[in-house]
Amino acid sequence: MGEMNSAFIVAAIGLGLMIGLSGSGSAIGLVISGSSAMGSLKKRPEAFGALLVASILPSTQGIYGFVGYFIYSDLVTPDISMFNASLVLGAGLMLGIVALVSAIYQGKICASSASAIGSGHEVLGQGLVFGALPEFYAILALVASILLKNLAQ
Amino acid sequence: MIEKMKKLYLLIYHQSKDEFLERLQKIGVVHLDTGDNIQSDAIQDIKNRLSKLDKCKKIVLSNKTKNSKVVQKSRDGGDIEQYLSEIENIENRLGAEKSRLDNIRKEIELLTKWGDFDPDTIRAIEERSGYKLKLFYARDKDYDDIVSGISNDVFVEKIIEEKSKVFFAVFYKNPASLESVRASEEKIPLKSLKRLKKEAARIEESIGVLEKSKSSYAELMDEFDKYRVDLEDSLQYNVVDSSLSPEVEGKALFIRGWVPKRVLKFVEEFLEKEDVAYIVDDPAEGDEIPIKLRNNAFNRLFEPITKMHSMPNYGEMDPTPFFAPFFAAFFGLCLGDAGYGLVLFITVIVAILFGKNKKIRPILYLGFFLSLSTIIAGAVLDSFFGFKITEMTLLPKALKKTAIFTDMNTQMSFAIMLGVIQILFGYFLQTISKIKFGGIKAGLQPLGVFLLITGTVILGVGYGLKGDFSIGPMPVKKIITSIPHGFNVGATLIIAGVALILLFNNIDKKIFVRPFLGLWEMYGIVTGIPGDVLSYIRLFALGLAGGLLGGAFNMIAFMVRDSAPIGINYIGMIAILLAGHIINISLSALSAFVHPLRLILLEFYKAYGFVGGGKAYDPFRKGAA
């Protein structure tokens, strides 16, 4: 009984970190980019579309966390083995930390491109490319966590 | 394709300069080398007019008053500048009125608490009795102490209590006795609230009138736009005019220009009839040759991507036609869902058929190809609105055969394979380009990298991997091992590649220095290319994430259908499906655009050896803006 409970707790912490960290990362990143976009909107109200696209990139990390959750949630049952639970925890940490950090810093890139757009530079495409650079590591973390599930017994 | 250019030297006779420039601008195909920072009074004047026009357009368009009747004024034949001044005038008056209204509103806010009193009465009291009025406030618990501490010749009247504060009036004769009032004074204008409100209403009305007359200028917008084009034309004209350099004691004016080879004949015929002397020449090394891209209808759609990075320079090939099909395919793989592709496809078709905005047509045509690619990719990757096509019971079996990359590992290998292909293609093109523009020797290093990668793939996949390796229906390992003496071929390619890299890097340096420099190049290649290839994993990962998220929404929707009370269950399901897939499709489409963009601009351009930095061909013409 004791063993089963601790395994379940470990797995639940993993899921919690997966969603919690990645969601917080996206939220913080979006606040960073969104506030900058709001400032630019005052200068160029007609650029709303471009600013929206420029500042929305950090939303994807939260989605990766959610996708990870969906992949791992069927593993998490009351009688989960300690081995599988550790996989869930590892995946949660891996995906959560990378998503958290990359979303926050991606938010800063997006904020810069939003303020550049606000000052009249047409750099939406370039800004998106720079924003895609840190995001790749969140994608890698998602892929790695999905591959990790193959080890589950 | 980059269009071939010819250099054109023009010597213009000074007396016929104006007419000639006018006609040259009309034919609009000659790119003139104007100075970068040409200044003159005329140019400054036009720039000022342009910024005034833009400001006024913004003012008129910012008008939010709806249903305002268009004020009819006789506007035909009027001078646009006149109208612009009128608009500016109205805007200034509006600004003044608005700030007055703000002030009055502030006063009203201050006064409201003290009630509606008549300042005349107060003045009359002050005059007749000799008592003066001041207003104070204090915390309510201090009020009684304050009142009892006040000297006898001062009268106190409580006006109102609000938020634990007491506001009171004090009548006094001797200013010295005011010192006994231990409270803060409230300085308010002694004005009648009623009159202020009336005044505010009057200003509001006048603001309304001004806004209405402002909006009446909206009907002139087309003429403003025409005027803008005229201004831009005359700006170009003046820039060219100021760039002419006088020769032969000012009798002739000289300027250098560029003409696409394709229209050279036409330009020469035109110049023959003019009062000018000209020489046509081939571009020389070191010239900054303007770049004009010329691609077929499909590739032209991708030119904005090329321009986003930088125009290629004249000494390299236009990368657009080489990455266009890759980009379309990558977008499809990243979105990776036949259902989403279908939604995009229908949206694009509807927009093409019924959309009125001609400017976004190229984007729509691009969307057409991208959505087609998405449908195909979704069919191949086995995803339709987040469902697996192979698991759909309703579909006929024939349709399910398209799903050839169904499991995750296959999809990932496929993505990496595409990466290897595109990077090899890039180095192949770099080899061709270097040979074309710099001679065979210049092309040997990229050729070396090409051979090195090919050899590594042959050895790695054919002889390094255990078991039977195939990607979907492609038995990759079998194909490679079927090469006669495959192992030796691979090893030879690697050795030849390394040799070429070590011997033919930095071909301007001496040959015995190169192997040492080549070691550094090798280090870059060995550490860089595997990373570049792995970067293509995103093609599979984004499609996977999008598909899984779509599947998650489906699951939640069906959970609602099965567990919610009857009546709201189906409504809930439909709402979740709609909202979920709309969010997913828009975010995935954004990612599916951005990530292939990165693969092109970073990984492919690196292999391609893209330098860029070309200056766009911008001929002297009318209506350029």
Side-chain angles (χ1 to χ4, degrees), chain A residues 25-43 47-48 50-59 103-115 118:
Chain A
S26 277
I28 299 172
L30 284 170
V31 167
I32 295 172
S33 62
S35 339
S36 174
M38 273 307 292
S40 299
L41 205 54
K42 276 186 200 150
K43 288 192 250 171
F48 175 73
L51 287 171
L52 181 70
V53 174
S55 54
I56 209 169
L57 275 186
S59 59
I104 294 174
Y105 285 90
Q106 189 179 46
K108 295 188 178 186
I109 296 179
C110 294
S112 303
S113 70
S115 68

Side-chain angles (χ1 to χ4, degrees), chain B residues 328-346 370-389 392 402 405 411 539-554 580-582 584-586 588-589 592:
Chain B
F330 289 176
F331 179 91
L333 288 170
C334 286
L335 197 49
D337 188 289
Y340 291 175
L342 209 58
V343 170
L344 279 188
F345 184 75
I346 293 166
L370 297 185
S371 60
L372 271 186
S373 147
T374 310
I375 295 175
I376 296 168
V380 170
L381 298 176
D382 191 20
S383 179
F384 184 81
F385 284 115
F387 294 106
K388 282 190 170 302
I389 294 175
M392 290 170 99
T402 58
F405 301 122
Q411 289 174 1
L539 291 177
F540 127 83
L542 284 170
L544 178 71
L548 285 170
L549 189 65
F553 283 124
N554 291 341
H581 285 295
I582 287 173
N584 195 21
I585 201 171
S586 27
S588 300

Side-chain angles (χ1 to χ4, degrees), chain A residues 43-46 53 56-57 59-60 63-64 66-67 70-71 124-126 128-129 131-137 139-140 142-143 146-147 150, chain B residues 58 307-309 408-409 412 534-538 540-542 544-545 548-549 551-553 555-556 587 590-591 593-595 597-598 601-602:
Chain A
K43 288 192 250 171
R44 286 184 66 196
E46 75 279 5
V53 174
I56 209 169
L57 275 186
S59 59
T60 40
I63 292 174
Y64 299 150
F66 187 63
V67 168
F70 247 82
I71 289 172
L124 174 62
Q126 290 89 333
L128 288 176
V129 172
L133 302 184
E135 181 170 315
F136 179 54
Y137 302 96
I139 298 178
L140 277 188
L142 174 65
V143 173
I146 291 171
L147 294 179
N150 291 341
Chain B
K58 239 184 194 169
K307 289 172 187 164
M308 189 183 281
H309 184 284
M408 252 185 253
N409 290 328
M412 192 159 79
L534 287 179
S535 187
Y536 284 78
I537 287 182
R538 75 185 72 230
F540 127 83
L542 284 170
L544 178 71
L548 285 170
L549 189 65
F553 283 124
M555 230 165 103
I556 298 169
L587 280 175
L590 177 63
S591 292
F593 191 84
V594 169
H595 284 277
L597 199 62
R598 175 220 146 109
L601 298 188
L602 267 77

